[in-house]
Amino acid sequence: MLKGQRGGVLRSYALIAPLFLFLLATFLLPVGMILWRSVSDPELRAALPATAAELSSWNGQGLPPAAAYAALATDLKAVDGASLASLSRRLSYENPGFRALLQSTKRKLEAAPAGAAPDLVALDPQWGANKTWQAMKRAAGPVGIYHILSALDLKRDYETGIGPARPGQALYRSIILRTFMIASTTAIIALALAFPLCAFLARQSDRVRNLLLLMVLLPFWTSILVRTTAWLALLQDRGVINTLLMDMGVIDQPMKLLYNRIGVIIALVHVMLPFMIFPLLASMRSIDPRLFRAALSLGATPFYAFRRVYLPQVMPGVMAGTLMVFVVTLGFYVTPMLVGGPGDQMISYYIALYTTGTLNWGLASSLGLILLVVTLSLYAVQNALLRRSGVGVR
Amino acid sequence: MQKKTTLLIASLLACTVFAAGASARDLVIVSNGGTFQEAQSNAIFKPFEKKTGIKVVEDTWDNGIGVIRTKVEGGDSGWDIVNAESEELEIACQEGLILPLDIDKLGGKDNYVSGAVHKCGIGAAIYNHVLAYDKTRVSAVPSWADFFDLKKYPGKRALRASPKTNLEFALIADGVPLADVYKVLSTPEGVDRAFAKLDTIKSSLVFWTAGGQPMQLLASGEVVMTSSFNGRVTNAINKDHKPFGIVWDKSLQTADSWVILKTSPNVDKAYELLKFAGEAEPQSHLPEVQPIGITSAKAMTMVKPELLADLPTAPENAKDVLQIDDAFWIDNIDALTARWAEWSAQ
């Protein structure tokens, strides 16, 4: 009996093994590799190995020991063009002048007579500055938190501790905040629109409901790009909406509906609405309408009955829909890019920019990591809240 | 999203090709698709096949140095010649992903227009970032100074959502001579000056990201002037008969180049094709489909005069243009992109 059971367990593992391997190969592994880039900092170690070792033991204050200067001189003479190019790019994140500094120092070292120990500070006074060496130490790798700190607008200074990377500016924090603001606004508006619609749909006959649902499904089946582009035609200054309102004499000047937050929210709500309607409708249809009537017959006011009888029952649907819309919106890229202005771009825009545009993969994956962590913790908080109130999403 | 999928499919395909052990495969040339590649195919690839009997297989890509890295990292993955943008050429060359070219095997330096010959690449197409305007609302040919003058021509303007090209335009509008633009931009004060100039029209700016947007913005009446790639403007004027104007003076020029991947097993054939691609006769047919600026010095006289007028390399258009400084942008793109994002979000 027991033996047979064990065989069954093994068989079921064998059955899900392909799925597990598929997930591992197509999801866990790539995600892990990308996230690894947020802490990996290999360029300096690859280009200047002896210098990297020296920098690791230096405390980052004042100037490094003479051994570090000697190591840098030796390393710079030996390094090949490809590694130096990668290193220059890594260091240019801190200071665009690094490429010129490294190249000119290498040239001068190669031109200098062999034998005598070269004086780097004489070759370029920047080698006598603490901030030059600090930037090198931050990049010394093989792993480091430079990229993650950058994605939070922070920078580690070995003399003064962790502080703002660019005083007075908090770009990525404001983008992350903006992303969550746009996603939550979209979720709330979608809920406000979907709730009465679903309440209405739930009470219709199957035929009418299916017909009306088709109107929800048709745009849902249409490509997001097409729907977004359609909003361009509708919302622009001489677009359908503005022309109509101006011809009717409602407004004199075209309303600004495009390339700002309003346009982004309108288009996002439209794109996300089906994701709210389906879970909400499913939970509303599973409610026994007699419960509501029973509450009324027992003397509850309609509002009381709605709040205490109806709402708790649709809560799982509301939560599932809101979370779905919120999380999917967090990662939106193409809609804000087309209908938003530069102040409405969400975090995925910057991740794409750093991945394919400027090739700063460390920063891109750090931004991704932050988005992932914040989203997962919000999800955990929501689950905990639901469990406490006794209506878990299962 | 599209790009990601293409990349994924491309790398999957690459894996299969690699796994199949493509030892003696055909010459594969990769360009940007659309009418751009159609022009190249008609003028160069097909005539080359006919002339030499060497089979040419075409593929397309959407650019990105990451793609080239991936292609080269695991050995030959099926690409030989790639049409690369200037920054990709610069970085790939520094990182050793592409081969240094022997210019003498490609017809010599004098065969090409200036700026088309690079250590690791040979000019494939020249194009400009120009000022385009709506003739119905802008009476005279505008300059960049007019672009930044809201009093003279009220209405919105569109610029690309990126610091690259816009900082240059701002300095040009502020009176910096073309020759000094990058010198000024290399100083913190110069960057401040460019952003201050952009501040003066910020309330009237719209930003575009995809190459097709500027003409759409002009056509819909959303903006009166915009920056744009020259080919889009010419096509809008000639093919769609739009009342638009194009300003070549003080435009920014850049070039795409042919590069040979380090891992190519077909280097000799690749040289043969690139030599043919640099000859005057095939190049003179390029502008028939798309106003691509040609890189052969001798082809200029062979292009039909009505087509020549729309080319970035026509002497009349090339009088007063600035080459985009790739070295500057490779070093500064991260810092300036962050600054641009901060500026534009405020």
mmCIF file of all heavy atoms in Angstrom, chain A residues 335-379:
data_model
loop_
_atom_site.group_PDB
_atom_site.id
_atom_site.type_symbol
_atom_site.label_atom_id
_atom_site.label_comp_id
_atom_site.label_asym_id
_atom_site.label_seq_id
_atom_site.Cartn_x
_atom_site.Cartn_y
_atom_site.Cartn_z
ATOM 1 N N THR A 335 2.344 51.771 -24.353
ATOM 2 C CA THR A 335 1.279 52.769 -24.244
ATOM 3 C C THR A 335 1.785 54.114 -23.699
ATOM 4 O O THR A 335 1.577 55.143 -24.334
ATOM 5 C CB THR A 335 0.122 52.216 -23.397
ATOM 6 O OG1 THR A 335 -0.285 50.978 -23.963
ATOM 7 C CG2 THR A 335 -1.040 53.166 -23.368
ATOM 8 N N PRO A 336 2.471 54.126 -22.537
ATOM 9 C CA PRO A 336 2.994 55.414 -22.080
ATOM 10 C C PRO A 336 3.990 56.020 -23.070
ATOM 11 O O PRO A 336 4.076 57.229 -23.220
ATOM 12 C CB PRO A 336 3.692 55.093 -20.760
ATOM 13 C CG PRO A 336 3.338 53.729 -20.402
ATOM 14 C CD PRO A 336 2.732 53.055 -21.558
ATOM 15 N N MET A 337 4.730 55.151 -23.771
ATOM 16 C CA MET A 337 5.724 55.681 -24.698
ATOM 17 C C MET A 337 5.051 56.450 -25.828
ATOM 18 O O MET A 337 5.530 57.487 -26.245
ATOM 19 C CB MET A 337 6.563 54.556 -25.271
ATOM 20 C CG MET A 337 7.802 55.047 -25.978
ATOM 21 S SD MET A 337 8.834 53.705 -26.502
ATOM 22 C CE MET A 337 8.173 53.409 -28.123
ATOM 23 N N LEU A 338 3.902 55.947 -26.301
ATOM 24 C CA LEU A 338 3.259 56.592 -27.441
ATOM 25 C C LEU A 338 2.348 57.747 -27.036
ATOM 26 O O LEU A 338 2.313 58.771 -27.715
ATOM 27 C CB LEU A 338 2.466 55.558 -28.255
ATOM 28 C CG LEU A 338 3.336 54.591 -29.064
ATOM 29 C CD1 LEU A 338 2.473 53.570 -29.757
ATOM 30 C CD2 LEU A 338 4.177 55.337 -30.093
ATOM 31 N N VAL A 339 1.588 57.619 -25.958
ATOM 32 C CA VAL A 339 0.633 58.681 -25.636
ATOM 33 C C VAL A 339 1.104 59.574 -24.498
ATOM 34 O O VAL A 339 0.466 60.576 -24.200
ATOM 35 C CB VAL A 339 -0.771 58.128 -25.298
ATOM 36 C CG1 VAL A 339 -1.349 57.368 -26.457
ATOM 37 C CG2 VAL A 339 -0.727 57.266 -24.064
ATOM 38 N N GLY A 340 2.224 59.220 -23.847
ATOM 39 C CA GLY A 340 2.690 60.012 -22.718
ATOM 40 C C GLY A 340 3.767 60.997 -23.103
ATOM 41 O O GLY A 340 4.366 60.900 -24.166
ATOM 42 N N GLY A 341 4.004 61.951 -22.229
ATOM 43 C CA GLY A 341 5.122 62.860 -22.392
ATOM 44 C C GLY A 341 6.316 62.295 -21.647
ATOM 45 O O GLY A 341 6.228 61.219 -21.054
ATOM 46 N N PRO A 342 7.440 63.031 -21.662
ATOM 47 C CA PRO A 342 8.625 62.523 -20.974
ATOM 48 C C PRO A 342 8.406 62.377 -19.467
ATOM 49 O O PRO A 342 9.071 61.571 -18.835
ATOM 50 C CB PRO A 342 9.693 63.562 -21.276
ATOM 51 C CG PRO A 342 9.021 64.700 -21.897
ATOM 52 C CD PRO A 342 7.681 64.283 -22.371
ATOM 53 N N GLY A 343 7.466 63.132 -18.901
ATOM 54 C CA GLY A 343 7.208 63.019 -17.473
ATOM 55 C C GLY A 343 6.275 61.875 -17.123
ATOM 56 O O GLY A 343 5.929 61.701 -15.960
ATOM 57 N N ASP A 344 5.845 61.103 -18.120
ATOM 58 C CA ASP A 344 4.902 60.006 -17.858
ATOM 59 C C ASP A 344 5.499 58.644 -18.174
ATOM 60 O O ASP A 344 4.790 57.648 -18.192
ATOM 61 C CB ASP A 344 3.634 60.199 -18.699
ATOM 62 C CG ASP A 344 3.069 61.580 -18.569
ATOM 63 O OD1 ASP A 344 2.860 61.993 -17.422
ATOM 64 O OD2 ASP A 344 2.869 62.259 -19.588
ATOM 65 N N GLN A 345 6.797 58.612 -18.464
ATOM 66 C CA GLN A 345 7.400 57.325 -18.812
ATOM 67 C C GLN A 345 7.568 56.496 -17.548
ATOM 68 O O GLN A 345 7.987 56.991 -16.515
ATOM 69 C CB GLN A 345 8.740 57.531 -19.512
ATOM 70 C CG GLN A 345 8.618 58.300 -20.820
ATOM 71 C CD GLN A 345 7.600 57.707 -21.764
ATOM 72 O OE1 GLN A 345 7.454 56.493 -21.870
ATOM 73 N NE2 GLN A 345 6.837 58.568 -22.433
ATOM 74 N N MET A 346 7.243 55.212 -17.681
ATOM 75 C CA MET A 346 7.318 54.345 -16.520
ATOM 76 C C MET A 346 8.644 53.603 -16.506
ATOM 77 O O MET A 346 9.445 53.705 -17.417
ATOM 78 C CB MET A 346 6.120 53.395 -16.524
ATOM 79 C CG MET A 346 4.832 54.174 -16.333
ATOM 80 S SD MET A 346 3.379 53.280 -16.847
ATOM 81 C CE MET A 346 3.225 52.086 -15.541
ATOM 82 N N ILE A 347 8.843 52.812 -15.463
ATOM 83 C CA ILE A 347 10.169 52.233 -15.230
ATOM 84 C C ILE A 347 10.620 51.338 -16.384
ATOM 85 O O ILE A 347 11.800 51.293 -16.718
ATOM 86 C CB ILE A 347 10.180 51.475 -13.879
ATOM 87 C CG1 ILE A 347 11.605 51.260 -13.404
ATOM 88 C CG2 ILE A 347 9.402 50.200 -13.941
ATOM 89 C CD1 ILE A 347 11.702 50.819 -11.980
ATOM 90 N N SER A 348 9.661 50.669 -17.049
ATOM 91 C CA SER A 348 10.070 49.767 -18.126
ATOM 92 C C SER A 348 10.703 50.531 -19.290
ATOM 93 O O SER A 348 11.546 49.995 -20.002
ATOM 94 C CB SER A 348 8.868 48.967 -18.619
ATOM 95 O OG SER A 348 7.760 49.810 -18.775
ATOM 96 N N TYR A 349 10.297 51.794 -19.461
ATOM 97 C CA TYR A 349 10.904 52.612 -20.507
ATOM 98 C C TYR A 349 12.408 52.753 -20.250
ATOM 99 O O TYR A 349 13.224 52.632 -21.157
ATOM 100 C CB TYR A 349 10.237 53.989 -20.533
ATOM 101 C CG TYR A 349 10.881 54.987 -21.458
ATOM 102 C CD1 TYR A 349 10.542 55.018 -22.800
ATOM 103 C CD2 TYR A 349 11.828 55.890 -20.995
ATOM 104 C CE1 TYR A 349 11.128 55.922 -23.661
ATOM 105 C CE2 TYR A 349 12.426 56.808 -21.839
ATOM 106 C CZ TYR A 349 12.068 56.822 -23.171
ATOM 107 O OH TYR A 349 12.651 57.712 -24.016
ATOM 108 N N TYR A 350 12.743 52.999 -18.990
ATOM 109 C CA TYR A 350 14.155 53.186 -18.660
ATOM 110 C C TYR A 350 14.909 51.859 -18.705
ATOM 111 O O TYR A 350 16.077 51.814 -19.088
ATOM 112 C CB TYR A 350 14.295 53.875 -17.301
ATOM 113 C CG TYR A 350 13.809 55.298 -17.386
ATOM 114 C CD1 TYR A 350 12.489 55.626 -17.120
ATOM 115 C CD2 TYR A 350 14.659 56.297 -17.825
ATOM 116 C CE1 TYR A 350 12.029 56.918 -17.258
ATOM 117 C CE2 TYR A 350 14.215 57.589 -17.970
ATOM 118 C CZ TYR A 350 12.898 57.904 -17.688
ATOM 119 O OH TYR A 350 12.456 59.181 -17.850
ATOM 120 N N ILE A 351 14.223 50.773 -18.323
ATOM 121 C CA ILE A 351 14.880 49.465 -18.405
ATOM 122 C C ILE A 351 15.208 49.163 -19.868
ATOM 123 O O ILE A 351 16.315 48.749 -20.202
ATOM 124 C CB ILE A 351 13.985 48.370 -17.781
ATOM 125 C CG1 ILE A 351 13.852 48.619 -16.278
ATOM 126 C CG2 ILE A 351 14.563 46.992 -18.051
ATOM 127 C CD1 ILE A 351 12.953 47.649 -15.555
ATOM 128 N N ALA A 352 14.252 49.430 -20.768
ATOM 129 C CA ALA A 352 14.497 49.196 -22.192
ATOM 130 C C ALA A 352 15.612 50.105 -22.702
ATOM 131 O O ALA A 352 16.495 49.677 -23.446
ATOM 132 C CB ALA A 352 13.216 49.435 -22.984
ATOM 133 N N LEU A 353 15.568 51.362 -22.261
ATOM 134 C CA LEU A 353 16.581 52.324 -22.700
ATOM 135 C C LEU A 353 17.980 51.859 -22.307
ATOM 136 O O LEU A 353 18.904 51.878 -23.116
ATOM 137 C CB LEU A 353 16.280 53.693 -22.066
ATOM 138 C CG LEU A 353 17.267 54.806 -22.352
ATOM 139 C CD1 LEU A 353 17.092 55.259 -23.783
ATOM 140 C CD2 LEU A 353 17.045 55.970 -21.412
ATOM 141 N N TYR A 354 18.129 51.400 -21.058
ATOM 142 C CA TYR A 354 19.464 50.999 -20.601
ATOM 143 C C TYR A 354 19.859 49.636 -21.149
ATOM 144 O O TYR A 354 21.041 49.325 -21.232
ATOM 145 C CB TYR A 354 19.531 51.019 -19.071
ATOM 146 C CG TYR A 354 19.443 52.412 -18.511
ATOM 147 C CD1 TYR A 354 18.502 52.762 -17.555
ATOM 148 C CD2 TYR A 354 20.300 53.401 -18.978
ATOM 149 C CE1 TYR A 354 18.415 54.052 -17.067
ATOM 150 C CE2 TYR A 354 20.217 54.702 -18.501
ATOM 151 C CZ TYR A 354 19.274 55.022 -17.553
ATOM 152 O OH TYR A 354 19.193 56.304 -17.095
ATOM 153 N N THR A 355 18.889 48.804 -21.522
ATOM 154 C CA THR A 355 19.240 47.485 -22.042
ATOM 155 C C THR A 355 19.716 47.573 -23.487
ATOM 156 O O THR A 355 20.778 47.067 -23.824
ATOM 157 C CB THR A 355 18.019 46.534 -21.987
ATOM 158 O OG1 THR A 355 17.418 46.663 -20.709
ATOM 159 C CG2 THR A 355 18.452 45.106 -22.180
ATOM 160 N N THR A 356 18.925 48.223 -24.339
ATOM 161 C CA THR A 356 19.292 48.231 -25.755
ATOM 162 C C THR A 356 19.862 49.565 -26.200
ATOM 163 O O THR A 356 20.574 49.631 -27.177
ATOM 164 C CB THR A 356 18.076 47.901 -26.649
ATOM 165 O OG1 THR A 356 17.054 48.848 -26.343
ATOM 166 C CG2 THR A 356 17.570 46.517 -26.402
ATOM 167 N N GLY A 357 19.551 50.633 -25.483
ATOM 168 C CA GLY A 357 20.013 51.946 -25.922
ATOM 169 C C GLY A 357 21.420 52.257 -25.459
ATOM 170 O O GLY A 357 22.333 52.383 -26.263
ATOM 171 N N THR A 358 21.616 52.366 -24.154
ATOM 172 C CA THR A 358 22.927 52.789 -23.662
ATOM 173 C C THR A 358 23.757 51.617 -23.153
ATOM 174 O O THR A 358 24.889 51.801 -22.752
ATOM 175 C CB THR A 358 22.795 53.822 -22.532
ATOM 176 O OG1 THR A 358 22.379 53.138 -21.345
ATOM 177 C CG2 THR A 358 21.779 54.893 -22.857
ATOM 178 N N LEU A 359 23.178 50.412 -23.122
ATOM 179 C CA LEU A 359 23.924 49.206 -22.754
ATOM 180 C C LEU A 359 24.385 49.170 -21.318
ATOM 181 O O LEU A 359 25.357 48.524 -20.995
ATOM 182 C CB LEU A 359 25.161 49.077 -23.624
ATOM 183 C CG LEU A 359 24.921 48.602 -25.014
ATOM 184 C CD1 LEU A 359 26.247 48.397 -25.688
ATOM 185 C CD2 LEU A 359 24.159 47.304 -24.987
ATOM 186 N N ASN A 360 23.690 49.909 -20.455
ATOM 187 C CA ASN A 360 24.040 49.873 -19.043
ATOM 188 C C ASN A 360 23.202 48.772 -18.389
ATOM 189 O O ASN A 360 22.211 49.036 -17.729
ATOM 190 C CB ASN A 360 23.753 51.247 -18.437
ATOM 191 C CG ASN A 360 24.325 51.387 -17.058
ATOM 192 O OD1 ASN A 360 24.656 50.397 -16.415
ATOM 193 N ND2 ASN A 360 24.439 52.611 -16.601
ATOM 194 N N TRP A 361 23.631 47.512 -18.592
ATOM 195 C CA TRP A 361 22.817 46.388 -18.144
ATOM 196 C C TRP A 361 22.753 46.296 -16.634
ATOM 197 O O TRP A 361 21.776 45.817 -16.081
ATOM 198 C CB TRP A 361 23.331 45.075 -18.748
ATOM 199 C CG TRP A 361 23.009 44.968 -20.199
ATOM 200 C CD1 TRP A 361 22.469 45.964 -20.970
ATOM 201 C CD2 TRP A 361 23.201 43.853 -21.058
ATOM 202 N NE1 TRP A 361 22.318 45.517 -22.256
ATOM 203 C CE2 TRP A 361 22.757 44.229 -22.333
ATOM 204 C CE3 TRP A 361 23.709 42.580 -20.865
ATOM 205 C CZ2 TRP A 361 22.815 43.372 -23.426
ATOM 206 C CZ3 TRP A 361 23.759 41.716 -21.948
ATOM 207 C CH2 TRP A 361 23.314 42.108 -23.216
ATOM 208 N N GLY A 362 23.807 46.727 -15.965
ATOM 209 C CA GLY A 362 23.802 46.696 -14.503
ATOM 210 C C GLY A 362 22.683 47.545 -13.948
ATOM 211 O O GLY A 362 21.918 47.113 -13.083
ATOM 212 N N LEU A 363 22.557 48.756 -14.484
ATOM 213 C CA LEU A 363 21.503 49.661 -14.021
ATOM 214 C C LEU A 363 20.128 49.130 -14.417
ATOM 215 O O LEU A 363 19.185 49.154 -13.624
ATOM 216 C CB LEU A 363 21.737 51.053 -14.607
ATOM 217 C CG LEU A 363 20.807 52.163 -14.146
ATOM 218 C CD1 LEU A 363 20.797 52.263 -12.629
ATOM 219 C CD2 LEU A 363 21.212 53.489 -14.755
ATOM 220 N N ALA A 364 20.027 48.610 -15.639
ATOM 221 C CA ALA A 364 18.740 48.084 -16.106
ATOM 222 C C ALA A 364 18.263 46.955 -15.201
ATOM 223 O O ALA A 364 17.105 46.926 -14.777
ATOM 224 C CB ALA A 364 18.870 47.586 -17.543
ATOM 225 N N SER A 365 19.158 46.016 -14.869
ATOM 226 C CA SER A 365 18.696 44.882 -14.070
ATOM 227 C C SER A 365 18.482 45.305 -12.622
ATOM 228 O O SER A 365 17.639 44.734 -11.932
ATOM 229 C CB SER A 365 19.656 43.709 -14.168
ATOM 230 O OG SER A 365 20.883 44.053 -13.633
ATOM 231 N N SER A 366 19.186 46.332 -12.154
ATOM 232 C CA SER A 366 18.924 46.831 -10.806
ATOM 233 C C SER A 366 17.530 47.439 -10.728
ATOM 234 O O SER A 366 16.807 47.228 -9.751
ATOM 235 C CB SER A 366 19.954 47.883 -10.409
ATOM 236 O OG SER A 366 21.223 47.310 -10.330
ATOM 237 N N LEU A 367 17.169 48.197 -11.760
ATOM 238 C CA LEU A 367 15.814 48.769 -11.787
ATOM 239 C C LEU A 367 14.781 47.647 -11.804
ATOM 240 O O LEU A 367 13.764 47.708 -11.114
ATOM 241 C CB LEU A 367 15.644 49.665 -13.014
ATOM 242 C CG LEU A 367 16.369 51.011 -12.969
ATOM 243 C CD1 LEU A 367 16.296 51.704 -14.319
ATOM 244 C CD2 LEU A 367 15.777 51.905 -11.900
ATOM 245 N N GLY A 368 15.063 46.593 -12.580
ATOM 246 C CA GLY A 368 14.165 45.451 -12.634
ATOM 247 C C GLY A 368 14.052 44.770 -11.279
ATOM 248 O O GLY A 368 12.963 44.410 -10.837
ATOM 249 N N LEU A 369 15.189 44.637 -10.606
ATOM 250 C CA LEU A 369 15.209 44.000 -9.288
ATOM 251 C C LEU A 369 14.352 44.794 -8.304
ATOM 252 O O LEU A 369 13.552 44.224 -7.555
ATOM 253 C CB LEU A 369 16.656 43.923 -8.783
ATOM 254 C CG LEU A 369 16.861 43.316 -7.405
ATOM 255 C CD1 LEU A 369 16.609 41.819 -7.449
ATOM 256 C CD2 LEU A 369 18.257 43.591 -6.887
ATOM 257 N N ILE A 370 14.512 46.112 -8.323
ATOM 258 C CA ILE A 370 13.739 46.954 -7.397
ATOM 259 C C ILE A 370 12.241 46.818 -7.681
ATOM 260 O O ILE A 370 11.432 46.639 -6.770
ATOM 261 C CB ILE A 370 14.192 48.414 -7.516
ATOM 262 C CG1 ILE A 370 15.597 48.544 -6.938
ATOM 263 C CG2 ILE A 370 13.233 49.347 -6.798
ATOM 264 C CD1 ILE A 370 16.263 49.840 -7.254
ATOM 265 N N LEU A 371 11.890 46.849 -8.970
ATOM 266 C CA LEU A 371 10.477 46.701 -9.337
ATOM 267 C C LEU A 371 9.936 45.363 -8.838
ATOM 268 O O LEU A 371 8.843 45.289 -8.271
ATOM 269 C CB LEU A 371 10.336 46.793 -10.860
ATOM 270 C CG LEU A 371 8.917 46.722 -11.409
ATOM 271 C CD1 LEU A 371 8.111 47.902 -10.939
ATOM 272 C CD2 LEU A 371 8.944 46.673 -12.929
ATOM 273 N N LEU A 372 10.739 44.314 -9.018
ATOM 274 C CA LEU A 372 10.318 42.977 -8.606
ATOM 275 C C LEU A 372 10.127 42.915 -7.095
ATOM 276 O O LEU A 372 9.101 42.430 -6.595
ATOM 277 C CB LEU A 372 11.380 41.960 -9.043
ATOM 278 C CG LEU A 372 11.033 40.491 -8.882
ATOM 279 C CD1 LEU A 372 9.924 40.122 -9.837
ATOM 280 C CD2 LEU A 372 12.257 39.624 -9.146
ATOM 281 N N VAL A 373 11.095 43.429 -6.347
ATOM 282 C CA VAL A 373 11.036 43.358 -4.885
ATOM 283 C C VAL A 373 9.838 44.151 -4.356
ATOM 284 O O VAL A 373 9.069 43.659 -3.527
ATOM 285 C CB VAL A 373 12.356 43.884 -4.279
ATOM 286 C CG1 VAL A 373 12.209 44.095 -2.774
ATOM 287 C CG2 VAL A 373 13.482 42.912 -4.567
ATOM 288 N N VAL A 374 9.670 45.380 -4.872
ATOM 289 C CA VAL A 374 8.564 46.205 -4.375
ATOM 290 C C VAL A 374 7.221 45.564 -4.717
ATOM 291 O O VAL A 374 6.313 45.513 -3.887
ATOM 292 C CB VAL A 374 8.659 47.629 -4.956
ATOM 293 C CG1 VAL A 374 7.502 48.472 -4.464
ATOM 294 C CG2 VAL A 374 9.967 48.280 -4.567
ATOM 295 N N THR A 375 7.102 45.018 -5.936
ATOM 296 C CA THR A 375 5.845 44.378 -6.325
ATOM 297 C C THR A 375 5.543 43.162 -5.453
ATOM 298 O O THR A 375 4.430 42.995 -4.962
ATOM 299 C CB THR A 375 5.907 43.942 -7.798
ATOM 300 O OG1 THR A 375 6.379 45.037 -8.562
ATOM 301 C CG2 THR A 375 4.558 43.509 -8.297
ATOM 302 N N LEU A 376 6.558 42.325 -5.232
ATOM 303 C CA LEU A 376 6.350 41.130 -4.418
ATOM 304 C C LEU A 376 5.976 41.506 -2.986
ATOM 305 O O LEU A 376 5.113 40.877 -2.376
ATOM 306 C CB LEU A 376 7.603 40.253 -4.423
ATOM 307 C CG LEU A 376 7.851 39.477 -5.719
ATOM 308 C CD1 LEU A 376 9.116 38.640 -5.606
ATOM 309 C CD2 LEU A 376 6.663 38.578 -6.042
ATOM 310 N N SER A 377 6.599 42.568 -2.442
ATOM 311 C CA SER A 377 6.258 42.907 -1.065
ATOM 312 C C SER A 377 4.846 43.482 -0.986
ATOM 313 O O SER A 377 4.133 43.219 -0.024
ATOM 314 C CB SER A 377 7.299 43.838 -0.433
ATOM 315 O OG SER A 377 7.854 44.672 -1.372
ATOM 316 N N LEU A 378 4.452 44.261 -2.011
ATOM 317 C CA LEU A 378 3.065 44.750 -2.017
ATOM 318 C C LEU A 378 2.080 43.587 -2.070
ATOM 319 O O LEU A 378 1.063 43.578 -1.380
ATOM 320 C CB LEU A 378 2.832 45.655 -3.226
ATOM 321 C CG LEU A 378 3.280 47.096 -3.076
ATOM 322 C CD1 LEU A 378 2.988 47.864 -4.340
ATOM 323 C CD2 LEU A 378 2.559 47.740 -1.904
ATOM 324 N N TYR A 379 2.436 42.586 -2.871
ATOM 325 C CA TYR A 379 1.589 41.412 -2.997
ATOM 326 C C TYR A 379 1.480 40.693 -1.653
ATOM 327 O O TYR A 379 0.394 40.288 -1.226
ATOM 328 C CB TYR A 379 2.186 40.487 -4.064
ATOM 329 C CG TYR A 379 1.425 39.205 -4.281
ATOM 330 C CD1 TYR A 379 0.171 39.238 -4.883
ATOM 331 C CD2 TYR A 379 1.946 37.983 -3.884
ATOM 332 C CE1 TYR A 379 -0.531 38.072 -5.086
ATOM 333 C CE2 TYR A 379 1.249 36.817 -4.077
ATOM 334 C CZ TYR A 379 0.006 36.860 -4.682
ATOM 335 O OH TYR A 379 -0.687 35.710 -4.875
#
